[in-house]
Amino acid sequence: GIQVEQSPPDLILQEGANSTLRCNFSDSVNNLQWFHQNPWGQLINLFYIPSGTKQNGRLSATTVATERYSLLYISSSQTTDSGVYFCAVERRGRINKFYFGSGTKLNVKP
Amino acid sequence: KAGVTQTPRYLIKTRGQQVTLSCSPISGHRSVSWYQQTPGQGLQFLFEYFSETQRNKGNFPGRFSGRQFSNSRSEMNVSTLELGDSALYLCASRLQDNYGYTFGSGTRLTVV
């Protein structure tokens, strides 16, 4: 399969701080998504970003496919940003199967 | 537009029983995938269906099976439940290949 490594595993921030979450993957991909898992377990799609840069409000993401990594930026963090962030990739040539990282658990304190 | 709907949300079963979980994808989405999430193993792929055909399967025993109907709704079945099958089961759908996935809220299964 493909290895997906996320760092850091845990992150504690004060409200208003910025953060960068990283996702490294071991092979070429044709799909990469970032998700936020809410307290009820649902995976909320943040970005579909197999390459390039996207922004959505306080969140932005960059994937450098040639170097096999993606970054998720959270600016001016809020307590509602707390939760687990997952990176998931679909390996090129081996579609229809997502490989998930182990997640980054973010705790934003007021 | 309704999202991916999974039923039931919670389920408690006894060892040895079987269980069926349901997933209704977003209207028009033909690809449905299932994932199991446990604290120890994280998120693992179970299987993927497209137009009623299973196209991909993860490394799970034969007790785990699934199917997809002509309206794209999907079910997964787990027979002879074991304590280790306790998990959050997530379903995802997408329009077609090379599109992003949308996940449902999951079914939390507890086996006692």
Side-chain angles (χ1 to χ4, degrees), chain A residues 1 4-5 7 9 13 19 30 32-33 38 43 49 63 68 73 76 79 81 83 86 89 102:
Chain A
V4 183
E5 296 181 354
S7 60
L13 297 175
S19 62
N30 65 299
L32 187 148
Q33 285 182 256
N38 66 22
L43 289 171
I49 187 164
T63 297
R68 299 181 183 170
Y73 305 97
S76 304
T79 56
D81 294 331
F86 288 100
V89 303
S102 53

Side-chain angles (χ1 to χ4, degrees), chain B residues 68-95:
Chain B
Q68 186 181 33
F69 302 95
S70 59
N71 61 358
S72 294
R73 190 178 71 86
S74 177
E75 289 181 347
M76 67 162 282
N77 183 276
V78 187
S79 63
T80 318
L81 284 166
E82 301 177 359
L83 295 178
D85 297 333
S86 295
L88 178 65
Y89 290 87
L90 292 162
C91 168
S93 75
R94 67 178 177 181
L95 184 63

Side-chain angles (χ1 to χ4, degrees), chain A residues 3-90:
Chain A
Q3 305 303 312
V4 183
E5 296 181 354
Q6 290 186 243
S7 60
D10 296 279
L11 189 57
I12 300 174
L13 297 175
Q14 285 299 129
E15 200 167 26
N18 303 328
S19 62
T20 301
L21 282 58
R22 188 177 180 101
C23 172
N24 292 334
F25 43 94
S26 61
D27 206 341
S28 299
V29 300
N30 65 299
N31 180 8
L32 187 148
Q33 285 182 256
W34 283 97
F35 296 94
H36 177 213
Q37 189 163 40
N38 66 22
W40 298 272
Q42 185 173 9
L43 289 171
I44 307 299
N45 178 53
L46 299 175
F47 294 102
Y48 168 74
I49 187 164
S51 63
T53 297
K54 291 185 178 180
Q55 181 154 7
N56 185 3
R58 297 182 295 103
L59 273 58
S60 64
T62 295
T63 297
V64 184
T66 53
E67 297 187 22
R68 299 181 183 170
Y69 73 89
S70 183
L71 302 173
L72 177 68
Y73 305 97
I74 304 175
S75 64
S76 304
S77 58
Q78 301 175 357
T79 56
T80 52
D81 294 331
S82 296
V84 184
Y85 290 80
F86 288 100
C87 166
V89 303
E90 191 174 32

Side-chain angles (χ1 to χ4, degrees), chain A residues 30-31 33 35 37 39-45 48 86 90 94-101, chain B residues 9-10 33 35 37 43 45 48 55-56 58 88 90 94 97-101 103-105 108:
Chain A
N30 65 299
N31 180 8
Q33 285 182 256
F35 296 94
Q37 189 163 40
W40 298 272
Q42 185 173 9
L43 289 171
I44 307 299
N45 178 53
Y48 168 74
F86 288 100
E90 191 174 32
R94 184 94 171 110
I95 58 176
N96 309 314
K97 177 178 180 178
F98 250 164
Y99 294 86
F100 281 84
Chain B
R9 290 295 308 276
Y10 302 93
S33 301
Y35 291 81
Q37 186 177 25
L43 281 147
F45 171 78
E48 188 264 355
R55 296 196 298 183
N56 211 340
L88 178 65
L90 292 162
R94 67 178 177 181
D97 297 348
N98 296 319
Y99 277 67
Y101 284 97
F103 279 79
S105 299
R108 194 169 295 276

